Amino acid sequence: MNILILGAGGREHALAWAVLQNPKCDRLVVAPGNAGIDAIAECAALDIEDPEAVVGFAVEESIDFVIIGPEAPLAAGVSDALTAAGILVFGPSAEAARLEASKGFTKEICDACGAPTAAWARFRDAQAARAYVAAHGAPIVVKADGLAAGKGVVVAETVQQAHAAIDDILGGAFGAAGAEVVIEDFMTGQEASFFVLSDGQTVLPIGTAQDHKRIGEGDTGPNTGGMGAYSPAPILSDTVAELALERIVKPTVAEMARRGIPYRGVLYAGLMIENGQPRLVEYNARFGDPETQVLMMRLGGQALDLMLACAEGRLAEMQVIWANDHAMTVVMAARGYPGAYAKGSVIAGLDQLAEDSHHMVFHAGTRAEGGTIRADGGRVLNVTARGATLAEARARAYGMVEGIDWPDGVYRRDIGWRAL
Ligand code: GLY
């Protein structure tokens, strides 16, 4: 089978690595890919947010199955266009992907199916939004309704901060994504991620993870795309996961089907857990990054069978085969990230690291120049390891980090501290 993966990050490198372990994969193309992906698969230049271009490429290259990594191609209708062209695709339709692309839509669905989440309201008018905040007080959460590359959420500590966020969002800071603002009660507890596959009817859990969003150790400083992750997430015990499945995820999938918008793909539920009770923070219509790196390390080649069954509506016949293991990924980022950072510094030592089913360096923002790997983004490497315990996975991951010679790279030394 010829497979195309869309995307260029650590998530897509991890997906490619897992897919290649499955003998069903005869040929793997990743568009656009990165230096790490280029070492294991074909990379192709392609505008992955252009549905026509993706369909044209898939037809020309006799692609049998397309796996969509990031959210932007989903929102742009790439999955719909591939389905219309008769090409099997893993990734929801644009309408179903509104579970990520519209915060207000998700809240409506939660209300309709009774899924526990924070109390909320939506506004297009700044005056009305400000009055709501003044009446509710702080802390309070202010979100741009649409996709804002992870930057459209403000946890306001004061009413003034909330008012400023409302003015920013409705004032155009996020363009069309900020035409509407969603305001939610602040939730306390511990956050964790719950990943399921849905073929529109059947829901199959495929793992849990926790990531570290802040740049600084002790979970301090500005938010990032994620500085590390581990799986499983101890806070998401079997009991809590079952509650999340029965009270949040299954009702959501059923409500989507009832509305004639079947959800087909991975559904990533960001949960807040307090006193053993999960509530929904948000949905993503794609795999998490860097959570995918630890999930793929644990799932290996069966990930392709699961994604195929999901796309073909056969999830009811599938089950996940778990090793009783743990995985951790440590993100190495360019100094300065998530603020301004330089590109182009040389990363040495990667070719000395043994990579196998327990040790992998997944590339995010890298490029190859001759035989040299250079940093080419904010989050650059995902140093990932598996072990019988989380402590073993951690020791292996940090052991690999020590073997990487990149003076311009920074990383957190406390990934997994809550769980350990
Ligand atoms: N790690 C957070 C995300 O993928 O959205």
Side-chain angles (χ1 to χ4, degrees):
M1 157 174 271
N2 295 337
I3 298 172
L4 170 65
I5 297 177
L6 303 182
R11 168 181 49 207
E12 288 75 24
H13 191 181
L15 287 167
W17 175 82
V19 161
L20 281 168
Q21 288 173 46
N22 191 310
K24 287 194 182 79
C25 178
D26 296 310
R27 179 181 172 214
L28 178 62
V29 185
V30 183
N34 60 36
I37 297 171
D38 194 42
I40 60 169
E42 293 172 49
C43 287
L46 176 64
D47 180 355
I48 65 169
E49 292 175 31
D50 178 344
E52 255 183 60
V54 174
V55 170
F57 181 87
V59 169
E60 209 165 290
E61 297 293 327
S62 304
I63 297 295
D64 303 298
F65 184 41
V66 181
I67 298 167
I68 302 178
E71 62 275 22
L74 298 170
V78 169
S79 176
D80 308 69
L82 287 162
T83 301
I87 298 166
L88 195 61
V89 57
F90 179 80
S93 67
E95 219 184 332
R98 289 184 72 214
L99 280 180
E100 175 164 2
S102 169
K103 308 276 187 296
F105 176 75
T106 296
K107 288 294 201 177
E108 262 177 35
I109 295 284
C110 285
D111 286 355
C113 71
T117 186
W120 69 290
R122 70 204 306 179
F123 301 93
R124 285 178 174 266
D125 173 61
Q127 279 300 103
R130 282 164 154 265
Y132 179 89
V133 166
H136 278 72
I140 197 159
V141 183
V142 182
K143 299 180 172 177
D145 179 66
L147 293 177
K151 298 193 175 82
V153 176
V154 175
V155 178
E157 310 271 350
T158 64
V159 167
Q160 289 70 25
Q161 282 174 9
H163 283 175
I166 290 165
D167 292 345
D168 260 8
I169 293 169
L170 292 177
F174 300 103
E180 194 164 271
V181 77
V182 170
I183 301 178
E184 296 181 12
D185 282 2
F186 174 75
M187 287 191 278
T188 52
Q190 221 187 109
E191 273 195 72
S193 307
F194 185 41
F195 294 87
V196 306
L197 299 184
S198 162
D199 61 11
Q201 297 259 312
T202 301
V203 175
L204 182 68
I206 57 160
T208 64
Q210 264 178 306
D211 76 343
H212 292 266
K213 293 198 168 63
R214 306 294 188 115
I215 187 74
E217 284 166 13
D219 294 320
T220 54
N223 262 330
T224 69
M227 292 302 293
Y230 50 95
S231 172
I235 183 89
L236 257 166
S237 63
D238 289 351
T239 311
V240 177
E242 189 62 19
L243 285 175
L245 191 62
E246 296 301 328
R247 293 188 184 162
I248 299 174
V249 178
K250 282 187 179 172
T252 298
V253 169
E255 176 63 19
M256 295 291 280
R258 194 189 67 74
R259 292 182 182 215
I261 323 169
Y263 189 91
R264 299 192 181 101
V266 61
L267 187 57
Y268 155 8
L271 302 173
M272 185 66 81
I273 299 145
E274 189 171 42
N275 301 325
Q277 299 299 312
R279 288 191 286 169
L280 185 77
V281 177
E282 63 179 14
Y283 279 125
N284 292 304
R286 52 167 174 86
F287 280 113
D289 191 345
E291 293 91 334
T292 305
Q293 289 78 317
V294 285
L295 288 180
M296 291 303 127
M297 185 124 249
R298 296 185 66 213
L299 289 170
Q302 68 178 316
L304 175 59
D305 295 320
L306 293 167
M307 289 188 281
L308 274 172
C310 179
E312 291 172 343
R314 294 186 289 105
L315 272 184
E317 63 191 57
M318 300 302 287
Q319 58 182 32
V320 181
I321 298 158
W322 288 112
N324 192 13
D325 60 357
H326 297 255
M328 181 179 286
T329 189
V330 178
V331 171
M332 296 186 78
R335 195 178 299 284
Y337 172 81
Y341 56 83
K343 289 185 179 178
S345 54
V346 173
I347 303 166
L350 292 172
D351 49 357
Q352 302 300 315
L353 295 176
E355 292 184 327
D356 54 30
S357 62
H358 286 72
H359 305 82
M360 268 304 296
V361 179
F362 296 117
H363 290 221
T366 62
R367 67 182 156 84
E369 227 176 66
T372 304
I373 301 292
R374 290 183 186 271
D376 200 34
R379 289 189 297 167
V380 174
L381 298 172
N382 305 132
V383 186
T384 310
R386 190 153 73 100
T389 61
L390 187 58
E392 187 177 48
R394 180 184 193 283
R396 287 180 170 156
Y398 279 104
M400 292 167 80
V401 167
E402 277 170 24
I404 297 172
D405 178 11
W406 180 30
D408 284 349
V410 293
Y411 61 91
R412 280 181 57 168
R413 283 163 297 182
D414 65 344
I415 301 304
W417 68 270
R418 266 180 223 282
L420 288 163

